[in-house]
mmCIF file of all heavy atoms in Angstrom:
data_model
loop_
_atom_site.group_PDB
_atom_site.id
_atom_site.type_symbol
_atom_site.label_atom_id
_atom_site.label_comp_id
_atom_site.label_asym_id
_atom_site.label_seq_id
_atom_site.Cartn_x
_atom_site.Cartn_y
_atom_site.Cartn_z
ATOM 1 N N VAL A 331 -13.701 21.734 -38.165
ATOM 2 C CA VAL A 331 -14.241 20.493 -38.712
ATOM 3 C C VAL A 331 -15.477 20.799 -39.557
ATOM 4 O O VAL A 331 -16.083 21.869 -39.459
ATOM 5 C CB VAL A 331 -14.635 19.503 -37.599
ATOM 6 C CG1 VAL A 331 -13.436 19.164 -36.728
ATOM 7 C CG2 VAL A 331 -15.787 20.047 -36.749
ATOM 8 N N TYR A 449 -2.963 44.679 -36.700
ATOM 9 C CA TYR A 449 -2.390 45.993 -36.391
ATOM 10 C C TYR A 449 -3.493 47.039 -36.247
ATOM 11 O O TYR A 449 -3.542 47.793 -35.265
ATOM 12 C CB TYR A 449 -1.418 46.388 -37.503
ATOM 13 C CG TYR A 449 -0.804 47.762 -37.333
ATOM 14 C CD1 TYR A 449 0.457 47.914 -36.753
ATOM 15 C CD2 TYR A 449 -1.464 48.912 -37.769
ATOM 16 C CE1 TYR A 449 1.028 49.174 -36.595
ATOM 17 C CE2 TYR A 449 -0.904 50.168 -37.615
ATOM 18 C CZ TYR A 449 0.339 50.293 -37.033
ATOM 19 O OH TYR A 449 0.888 51.552 -36.884
ATOM 20 N N GLU A 506 7.233 42.317 -22.229
ATOM 21 C CA GLU A 506 8.253 42.184 -23.266
ATOM 22 C C GLU A 506 7.705 41.336 -24.412
ATOM 23 O O GLU A 506 7.005 40.349 -24.205
ATOM 24 C CB GLU A 506 9.501 41.527 -22.685
ATOM 25 C CG GLU A 506 10.629 41.349 -23.682
ATOM 26 C CD GLU A 506 11.810 40.593 -23.094
ATOM 27 O OE1 GLU A 506 11.730 40.199 -21.912
ATOM 28 O OE2 GLU A 506 12.809 40.393 -23.830
ATOM 29 N N THR A 587 -16.036 41.825 -57.211
ATOM 30 C CA THR A 587 -16.682 40.561 -56.874
ATOM 31 C C THR A 587 -15.641 39.545 -56.464
ATOM 32 O O THR A 587 -14.512 39.559 -56.945
ATOM 33 C CB THR A 587 -17.510 40.013 -58.056
ATOM 34 O OG1 THR A 587 -18.185 38.821 -57.629
ATOM 35 C CG2 THR A 587 -16.635 39.692 -59.255
#
Side-chain angles (χ1 to χ4, degrees):
V331 301
Y449 177 97
E506 180 185 1
T587 184

